[in-house]
């Protein structure tokens, strides 16, 4: 029961999970509670899990639709994952030893013009066809549910199943569950070599070598390089992003708020701080570097936040940071791989923190020989050839 990187690695173990983000740690927990011997290896370089904003997303994010229009069919296909993913967070939250501030208080995507409102109305119609619970609110309806919005907002799409969570609490609580079940967690341990042989997987790391019967690649943006080691390269993009948090104030923002056409996502934590992001860029100079903040993103995101919610203008910024998001093709990569027995992928799609526990559950069930609660056949790494 330890996460100390100074301890030696076991020589061999049943399952190695590469990547100790929300997916890797949930998966380790779910496998260990079924009696599996699991080691999680993590190099601690850049993870979405330690940098994310804790938004529980369900409706399609206009940011992704604008940035990657070619991926919209993929987003639509994976839409059913999101309400289930929030449900999974609810399920695990009650099993954790600490309140993780999970609140399903709804999400608003706001419009400032007729054109933006019409875009949202069309999105809303399509999402309803695909089974999502969403509604359009005009300004007078918005006044009643979100009086904190600025005067330029003309309407919004409301998704009542969206919400928020405090990732700082959730990450530690999930990790404690895994460690309590005997999971070996090695930090500052980078996997540099991965070879499949008749005996299993020979894994080289910066802390020594280890043999494993099964390997799960849950390495976020590192999954591209790892999959290439096994001759199955995947088109994984590292997307460096900017975040801010204000000082605490009295609760006044109930929803997670996004914009139909501009880069903003904001929400208020239970302790009163407002978390402001929305996909503003950060800088990543190379795969081994840490991401750094850009002043333009800081100014741009804060100006926009106070435009959408004017009361934010009175709050002081207490911290700003950069993190690395993972983007593949808008869809998760989960399950086993043809021709490499014992290898599994566990990479969530967009809004990967929302999808984390569900992704882990689906992969755990596949590894345990159970039918996953949703079909994962369309999400195999085999689609990359
Ligand atoms: C700024 C920001 C805000 C975000 N906000 C939200 C949000 O509000 N809601 C939401 O749903 N999602 C959000 N996301 C996305 C979300 O955080 C990620 O999709 C999610 O955390 C991915 O989890 P993961 O476990 O798959 O991967 P990660 O958390 O990225 O973890 C992967 C781990 O693998 C390790 N690794 C990689 N290669 C190797 C290797 N060779 N050897 C050993 N270890 C390795 C990495 O160091 C890392 O620790 C945000 C992301 C960012 C960057």
């Amino acid at each position: 029961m330890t996460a100390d990187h100074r301890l030696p690695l076991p020589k061999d173990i049943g399952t190695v999970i590469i990547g100790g983000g929300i997916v890797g740690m949930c998966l380790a927990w779910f496998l260990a509670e079924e009696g599996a011997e699991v080691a999680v290896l993590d190099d601690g370089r850049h993870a979405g899990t330690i940098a994310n904003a804790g938004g529980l997303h369900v409706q399609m994010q206009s940011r992704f639709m604008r940035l990657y229009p070619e991926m919209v069919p993929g987003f639509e296909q994976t839409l059913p994952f999101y309400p289930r993913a929030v449900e999974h967070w609810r399920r695990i939250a009650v099993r954790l030893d600490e309140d993780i501030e999970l609140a399903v208080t709804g999400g608003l995507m706001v419009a400032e013009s007729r054109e933006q409102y019409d875009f949202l109305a069309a999105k809303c119609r399509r999402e309803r066809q695909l089974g999502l619970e969403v509604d359009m609110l005009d300004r007078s309806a918005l006044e009643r549910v979100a009086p904190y919005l600025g005067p330029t907002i003309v309407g919004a799409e409301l998704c009542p199943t969206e919400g928020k969570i405090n990732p700082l609490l959730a990450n530690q609580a999930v990790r404690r569950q895994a460690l309590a079940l005997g999971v070996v967690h090695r930090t500052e341990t980078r996997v540099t070599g991965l070879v499949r042989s008749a005996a299993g997987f020979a894994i080289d790391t910066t802390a020594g070598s280890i043999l494993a019967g099964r390997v799960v690649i849950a390495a976020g943006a590192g999954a591209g390089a790892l999959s290439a080691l096994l001759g199955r390269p995947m088109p994984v993009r590292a997307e460096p992003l900017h975040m801010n948090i204000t000082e605490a104030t009295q609760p006044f923002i109930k929803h997670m708020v996004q914009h139909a056409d501009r880069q903003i996502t904001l929400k208020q934590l239970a302790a009163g701080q407002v978390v402001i992001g929305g996909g503003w860029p950060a800088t990543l100079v190379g795969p081994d570097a840490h991401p750094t903040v850009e002043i333009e993103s800081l100014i741009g995101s804060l100006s926009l936040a106070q435009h959408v919610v004017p009361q934010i203008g009175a709050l002081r910024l207490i911290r700003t940071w950069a993190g690395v998001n993972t983007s593949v093709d808008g869809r998760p990569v989960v399950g086993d791989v043809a021709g490499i027995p014992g290898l599994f992928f566990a990479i969530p799609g967009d809004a990967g923190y929302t999808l984390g526990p569900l992704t882990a559950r689906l992969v755990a069930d596949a590894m345990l020989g159970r039918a996953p609660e949703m079909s994962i056949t369309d999400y195999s790494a085999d689609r990359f050839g």
Side-chain angles (χ1 to χ4, degrees), residues 18-24 41-49 51-55 57 189-191 218-220 222 226 241 243 267 323-326 348 351-354:
I18 308 174
I22 192 64
V23 175
L41 310 181
D42 192 283
D43 67 3
R45 266 184 310 160
H46 27 65
T49 296
N52 86 95
H57 292 270
T189 302
R190 183 191 294 194
V191 172
L226 289 164
L241 299 178
M243 288 299 311
K267 66 194 72 70
V324 175
N325 193 29
T326 302
Y353 200 72
T354 306

Side-chain angles (χ1 to χ4, degrees), residues 110-343:
V110 301
E112 289 190 272
S113 66
R114 170 49 56 184
E115 194 193 355
Q116 290 170 12
Y117 190 85
D118 290 346
F119 165 82
L120 288 181
K123 181 167 98 66
C124 181
R125 278 194 299 278
R126 180 71 184 136
E127 288 169 336
R128 279 187 182 189
Q129 282 171 359
L130 296 166
L132 223 61
E133 193 186 340
V134 276
D135 260 314
M136 289 303 293
L137 304 182
D138 61 16
R139 178 73 210 194
S140 60
L142 263 186
E143 283 301 341
R144 289 191 291 276
V145 300
Y148 54 83
L149 291 171
T152 58
I153 308 298
V154 298
E157 182 180 359
L158 169 69
C159 179
T161 52
E162 291 193 312
K164 50 197 171 182
I165 203 166
N166 186 332
L168 296 181
L169 299 175
N171 293 341
Q172 291 309 317
V174 166
R175 182 170 163 274
R176 283 195 297 273
Q177 293 290 324
L179 295 190
L181 290 163
V183 168
V184 174
H185 181 206
R186 290 290 179 271
T187 54
E188 297 178 40
T189 302
R190 183 191 294 194
V191 172
T192 52
L194 188 53
V195 176
R196 180 80 174 90
S197 71
F201 291 88
I203 304 165
D204 289 328
T205 83
T206 47
S209 299
I210 179 169
L211 273 176
R214 298 191 293 187
V215 164
V216 185
I217 296 182
L226 289 164
S227 59
L229 289 176
L230 289 161
R232 299 289 178 93
M234 282 195 316
V236 180
R237 266 192 301 250
E239 188 188 22
L241 299 178
H242 180 94
M243 288 299 311
N244 313 285
I245 189 165
T246 70
E247 64 182 331
T249 185
Q250 82 288 350
F252 73 107
I253 306 173
K254 177 181 161 196
H255 309 91
M256 173 169 72
V257 179
Q258 300 179 78
H259 198 288
D261 193 48
R262 301 178 73 184
Q263 286 178 223
I264 194 78
T265 304
L266 58 90
K267 66 194 72 70
Q268 191 169 22
L269 297 180
Q273 301 98 333
V274 183
V275 180
I276 301 165
W280 288 78
T283 299
L284 187 66
V285 290
D288 293 334
H290 285 283
T292 52
V293 297
E294 293 180 16
I295 191 71
E296 292 83 2
S297 290
L298 186 138
I299 295 167
S301 57
L302 294 180
S303 309
L304 187 51
Q306 75 169 341
H307 172 71
V308 173
V309 178
Q311 270 176 268
I312 288 177
L315 300 175
R316 278 172 300 187
L317 178 72
I318 57 166
R319 195 160 71 87
T320 188
W321 69 95
V324 175
N325 193 29
T326 302
S327 160
V328 188
D329 60 355
R331 298 191 291 155
V333 187
V334 286
D336 59 3
V337 183
I340 312 184
L343 178 68

Side-chain angles (χ1 to χ4, degrees), residues 41-123:
L41 310 181
D42 192 283
D43 67 3
R45 266 184 310 160
H46 27 65
T49 296
I50 52 168
N52 86 95
L56 295 179
H57 292 270
V58 174
Q59 61 179 302
M60 283 191 284
Q61 294 187 60
S62 55
R63 174 176 99 83
F64 292 135
M65 295 170 75
R66 280 195 314 277
L67 277 177
Y68 310 116
E70 72 285 2
M71 291 189 193
V72 170
F75 299 147
E76 290 191 349
Q77 192 189 10
T78 48
L79 213 50
F81 276 74
Y82 290 87
R84 282 182 189 241
V86 174
E87 193 43 45
H88 263 266
W89 267 113
R90 283 185 194 266
R91 278 190 220 163
I92 70 164
V94 294
R95 300 177 60 204
L96 296 171
D97 61 7
E98 189 176 8
D99 178 6
I100 57 171
E101 299 175 4
L102 171 65
V104 179
T105 45
L108 290 170
M109 191 171 289
V110 301
E112 289 190 272
S113 66
R114 170 49 56 184
E115 194 193 355
Q116 290 170 12
Y117 190 85
D118 290 346
F119 165 82
L120 288 181
K123 181 167 98 66

